[in-house]
């Protein structure tokens, strides 16, 4: 589902409903933006629909090169490399940089792609408490006595709670102990920061992070992923990141769509500001109702219910009445930490948000989440 309103068919009745979508990562509404669609169609007419080969052999064009250069500037890095997905970007990067004699240090709530990349690299693994710089330093001190490279990896925005990583102290600790830092900015890129450049902009650490990963399946409204960093590191990945080498290159039409989205993000800051405004409104309304919500300023807003049956009741009836929400339960989160996950979009109207808030207040009381 990509638009703020969708047509959905209920499984029980088969009835088609016009629904308000509040469970999509299409934060800026760019999947259906007319400029994005137009430039994608123009590129299909010129370049076709696929590259039919990996980037290192025959899967490259001038638009691939132009987009990688623009992405690098967007992320305040020297260079970038495209991948088929954000998942493959993290896997390819970590396995290309680490081996059995190296050390991976990760936040306990890292995305699965970071965890899997560390596992498949064969590196020794240390885990620190979630967003806890003191415990990260404990791991860095422990790793200091070990041979090999040290790579620290964190999410810029944690997708289940919308939490923003404390990047300033994380960056400072990595510098202090000589560790390389990878920030997975999948949910920050295009959606967070004053101009939408992501969690690094929000935390004031642009240009200080060694490796920045991003995806195009969130705020960019498309699909694919990238790694940005130094020229030396990106050249290494082009030859040793197996998930990028041994797969077909990102299609020209996809590159065109993502580049059109980037142009909108960079030239229409009011779209990012509208996203932030909508998020503030929803958080204020939910807090006033008495819901327990996340405290971070992102487009992801969790309502902590901590009871699967109550959360399911709210989500199911909301769906039946035309509001699409996400129920987050085990194994995505631990039992007893069930939540309803809302995501706001820049394209949500005031009427959309007002309708959703009134329904959530009514259903919260009905199912015993609100007193």
């Amino acid at each position: 589902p990509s638009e703020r309103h969708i047509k959905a068919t209920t499984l029980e009745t088969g009835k088609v409903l016009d629904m308000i979508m509040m469970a999509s990562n299409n934060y800026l509404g760019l999947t259906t933006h007319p400029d994005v669609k137009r430039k994608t169609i123009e590129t299909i007419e010129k370049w076709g629909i696929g590259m039919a080969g990996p980037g290192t052999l025959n899967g490259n064009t001038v638009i691939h090169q132009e987009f990688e250069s623009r992405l690098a500037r967007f992320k305040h890095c020297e260079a970038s490399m495209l991948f088929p997905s954000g998942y493959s970007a993290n896997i390819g990067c970590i396995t290309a940089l680490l081996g059995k004699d190296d050390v991976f240090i990760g936040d306990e709530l890292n995305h699965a792609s970071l965890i899997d990349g560390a596992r498949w690299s064969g590196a020794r693994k240390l885990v620190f408490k979630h967003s806890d710089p003191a415990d990260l330093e404990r791991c860095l001190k422990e790793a200091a006595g070990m041979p090999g490279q040290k790579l620290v990896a964190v999410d810029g925005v944690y997708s289940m709670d919308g939490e923003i990583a404390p990047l300033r102290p994380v960056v400072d600790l990595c510098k202090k102990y000589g560790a390389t830092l990878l920030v997975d900015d999948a949910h920050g890129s295009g959606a967070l920061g004053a101009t939408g450049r992501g969690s690094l902009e929000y935390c004031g650490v642009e240009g200080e992070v060694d490796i920045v990963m991003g995806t195009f399946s969130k705020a960019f409204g498309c699909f694919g992923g990238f790694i940005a960093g130094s020229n030396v590191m990106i050249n290494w990945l082009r030859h040793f990141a197996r998930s990028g080498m041994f797969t077909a290159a990102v299609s020209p039409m996809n590159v065109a769509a993502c580049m059109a989205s980037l142009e909108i993000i960079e030239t229409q800051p009011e779209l990012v500001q509208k996203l932030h405004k909508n998020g503030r409104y929803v958080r204020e309304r939910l807090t006033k109702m008495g819901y327990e919500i996340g405290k971070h300023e992102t487009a992801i807003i969790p309502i902590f219910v901590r009871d699967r049956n109550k959360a399911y009741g709210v989500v199911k009836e909301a769906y039946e009445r035309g509001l699409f929400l996400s129920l987050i339960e085990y194994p995505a989160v631990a039992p007893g930490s069930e939540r309803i996950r809302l995501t706001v979009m820049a394209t949500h109207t005031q009427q959309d948000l007002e309708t959703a808030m009134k329904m959530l207040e009514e259903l919260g009381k009905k199912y015993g989440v609100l007193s």
Side-chain angles (χ1 to χ4, degrees):
S2 59
E3 299 187 70
R4 66 179 180 86
H5 275 257
I6 62 168
K7 294 290 186 180
T9 304
T10 60
L11 296 177
E12 293 86 353
T13 67
K15 180 182 178 181
V16 177
L17 300 176
D18 181 18
M19 305 187 73
I20 299 172
M21 167 52 67
M22 294 195 77
S24 171
N25 294 328
N26 180 30
Y27 299 130
L28 302 179
L30 296 180
T31 59
T32 53
H33 194 285
D35 289 347
V36 176
K37 294 193 292 183
R38 175 177 55 81
K39 292 182 180 180
T40 303
I41 292 169
E42 290 173 354
T43 303
I44 292 174
E45 294 293 337
K46 181 175 181 179
W47 294 99
I49 61 171
M51 293 308 304
T56 50
L57 295 178
N58 65 303
N60 195 19
T61 69
V62 291
I63 62 171
H64 286 77
Q65 294 173 342
E66 178 187 356
F67 186 45
E68 287 181 334
S69 295
R70 293 188 62 175
L71 274 174
R73 291 195 298 270
F74 181 64
K75 285 299 185 180
H76 287 209
C77 294
E78 292 179 348
S80 76
M81 176 181 173
L82 300 178
F83 285 81
S85 69
Y87 186 93
S88 65
N90 275 337
I91 296 293
C93 180
I94 295 170
T95 55
L97 296 178
L98 300 182
K100 62 182 179 64
D101 296 322
D102 300 311
V103 183
F104 176 92
I105 303 171
D107 187 291
E108 64 180 342
L109 295 186
N110 270 351
H111 189 267
S113 57
L114 295 174
I115 296 170
D116 291 349
R119 180 185 298 125
W120 296 338
S121 73
R124 287 166 289 185
K125 292 172 283 294
L126 298 176
V127 178
F128 61 94
K129 296 175 183 177
H130 178 52
S131 290
D132 186 337
D135 202 44
L136 168 59
E137 184 164 25
R138 174 191 63 80
C139 290
L140 286 165
K141 287 179 178 179
E142 182 179 344
M146 302 176 183
Q149 299 185 82
K150 284 77 177 179
L151 176 68
V152 174
V154 299
D155 287 16
V157 177
Y158 290 88
S159 61
M160 292 298 100
D161 295 341
E163 292 181 76
I164 303 168
L167 292 183
R168 178 74 271 167
V170 171
V171 166
D172 292 342
L173 284 169
C174 287
K175 289 179 180 179
K176 178 179 178 180
Y177 289 92
T180 300
L181 174 60
L182 187 166
V183 174
D184 177 333
D185 204 25
H187 286 272
S189 298
L192 191 61
T195 62
R197 292 199 305 274
S199 61
L200 280 68
E201 178 185 25
Y202 182 90
C203 295
V205 296
E206 288 181 295
E208 299 183 65
V209 174
D210 304 290
I211 308 168
V212 185
M213 171 271 181
T215 182
F216 306 122
S217 60
K218 279 46 175 197
F220 281 71
C222 197
F223 62 92
F226 68 92
I227 295 289
S230 68
N231 284 316
V232 171
M233 193 268 293
I234 293 299
N235 284 336
W236 178 269
L237 294 185
R238 292 195 192 282
H239 293 87
F240 294 98
R242 294 168 69 88
S243 61
M245 282 185 64
F246 296 101
T247 190
V250 178
S251 70
M253 62 180 182
N254 194 55
V255 173
C258 295
M259 187 147 56
S261 292
L262 179 58
E263 289 175 0
I264 292 169
I265 292 168
E266 291 185 314
T267 61
Q268 299 181 30
E270 64 274 11
L271 197 60
V272 175
Q273 292 163 11
K274 180 66 185 308
L275 175 68
H276 297 168
K277 179 181 178 181
N278 284 349
R280 286 193 297 272
Y281 174 79
V282 171
R283 284 190 292 272
E284 288 170 2
R285 286 292 304 275
L286 292 173
T287 300
K288 188 175 181 180
M289 290 177 206
Y291 276 116
E292 179 189 354
I293 66 170
K295 299 178 181 179
H296 291 260
E297 299 176 359
T298 69
I300 301 167
I301 304 173
I303 298 175
F304 296 101
V305 179
R306 308 185 193 284
D307 182 302
R308 195 268 177 189
N309 291 333
K310 291 180 180 180
Y312 177 76
V314 173
V315 170
K316 183 176 184 294
E317 185 165 341
Y319 182 90
E320 292 168 347
R321 293 172 56 176
L323 176 61
F324 199 121
L325 306 171
S326 291
L327 170 63
I328 306 299
E329 58 181 322
Y330 179 82
V333 295
S337 63
E338 293 83 3
R339 68 209 63 175
I340 300 166
R341 182 179 182 270
L342 286 69
T343 51
V344 295
M345 297 168 60
T347 48
H348 280 136
T349 66
Q350 188 63 32
Q351 183 178 351
D352 293 333
L353 299 179
E354 187 63 27
T355 298
M357 294 303 99
K358 286 182 178 179
M359 192 183 302
L360 279 170
E361 184 169 23
E362 180 181 336
L363 294 178
K365 293 176 180 177
K366 178 177 179 178
Y367 289 93
V369 181
L370 298 176
S371 58

